[in-house]
Amino acid sequence: DKPVIRIYSDIGLANMEITVELKDWVDVLTYPRGFVENEEVKSTTLSWIVNVSPREAAGDHSSILQHKSTDGALREYSYLFWEAATMEPFRICMKNASCVRSSVLSDGLLQDALLAQGLSTDEATEMATHWLPALTKKEFVLIEFLPSEELDKRAKLNVVPMPALIHRVFMLFRSTDTEHSCNLPLVRSPALALPRGAKKPVIVEWGGMECF
């Protein structure tokens, strides 16, 4: 999986703390390197403290994040990244899944589906291009967008100070040689529309995982 955490804020903020509480995950990797605390065998907390600065480009509400490295230097990043493997696999819920021909994903369907989940054009393009090779390994692919409350049970995202909104898009998928009967359309309706410019920050996270 590749969860990416973006912060949108029209004002600068100092010492924002972002934590991800992981349950039953191993092989953790973060970028920039965050603080990783293993409270017990099956519980790990990832944390970053960042300074948030608005970009100067008109209409671009995404923020530059300053993070202090172990050498004491403040470096700038566009987003935070974490990756880990689950000890207990996620399973696709067929009643919440869609089955599509993988060949049509790159012809606008995947972009439409991600935009409808509330991602911006840049976010949707980043997520689509990252996962497309894995999504198109076989003729069909099952896709489920995991509800945030289900993801929170395994990986709880916390932000201090409290933002205006935390929005998480997490895609489960499984490639298959056979078509499955799923009635749920891949592009949700109505589409979600998220605010990006706000005095209080908006947090957007996207990621995914291949299920076997």
Side-chain angles (χ1 to χ4, degrees), residues 100-122:
V100 300
R101 288 188 180 275
S102 60
S103 59
V104 303
L105 290 175
S106 62
D107 197 28
L109 180 62
L110 183 56
Q111 189 80 356
D112 289 347
L114 296 174
L115 291 172
Q117 291 291 325
L119 297 186
S120 68
T121 299
D122 285 347

Side-chain angles (χ1 to χ4, degrees), residues 61-97:
H61 300 287
S62 62
S63 300
I64 291 292
L65 311 180
Q66 283 190 330
H67 180 266
K68 183 178 287 188
S69 303
T70 53
D71 62 5
L74 278 173
R75 293 183 171 87
E76 294 186 343
Y77 301 87
S78 295
Y79 53 76
L80 306 175
F81 161 89
W82 66 272
E83 183 172 69
T86 55
M87 298 172 66
E88 181 179 344
F90 282 93
R91 300 191 184 278
I92 291 177
C93 177
M94 295 299 290
K95 70 177 183 179
N96 297 328

Side-chain angles (χ1 to χ4, degrees), residues 8 13 21 30 44 46 66-67 92 103 113 122 148 153 165:
Y8 294 85
L13 297 166
E21 299 173 13
T30 64
T44 302
L46 318 178
Q66 283 190 330
H67 180 266
I92 291 177
S103 59
D122 285 347
S148 292
K153 294 176 183 178
L165 175 69

Side-chain angles (χ1 to χ4, degrees), residues 162-209:
M162 179 72 71
L165 175 69
I166 295 178
H167 183 64
R168 312 182 80 185
V169 177
F170 196 80
M171 179 179 66
L172 302 179
F173 65 94
R174 185 173 78 241
S175 295
T176 174
D177 291 317
T178 57
E179 187 173 10
H180 292 256
S181 178
C182 298
N183 295 323
L184 195 69
L186 185 60
V187 181
R188 63 167 292 161
S189 180
L192 293 176
L194 299 186
R196 288 302 198 282
K199 295 302 181 183
K200 291 187 71 175
V202 170
I203 313 298
V204 178
E205 180 192 55
W206 62 260
M209 178 172 291

Side-chain angles (χ1 to χ4, degrees), residues 5-6 11 17 31-32 48 52 60 65 87 107 133 138 144 147 176 183-184 194 206:
I5 302 170
R6 284 189 176 273
I11 60 172
E17 183 177 9
Y31 188 85
W48 300 265
V52 179
D60 186 353
L65 311 180
M87 298 172 66
D107 197 28
K138 296 183 179 181
E144 177 192 0
T176 174
N183 295 323
L184 195 69
L194 299 186
W206 62 260

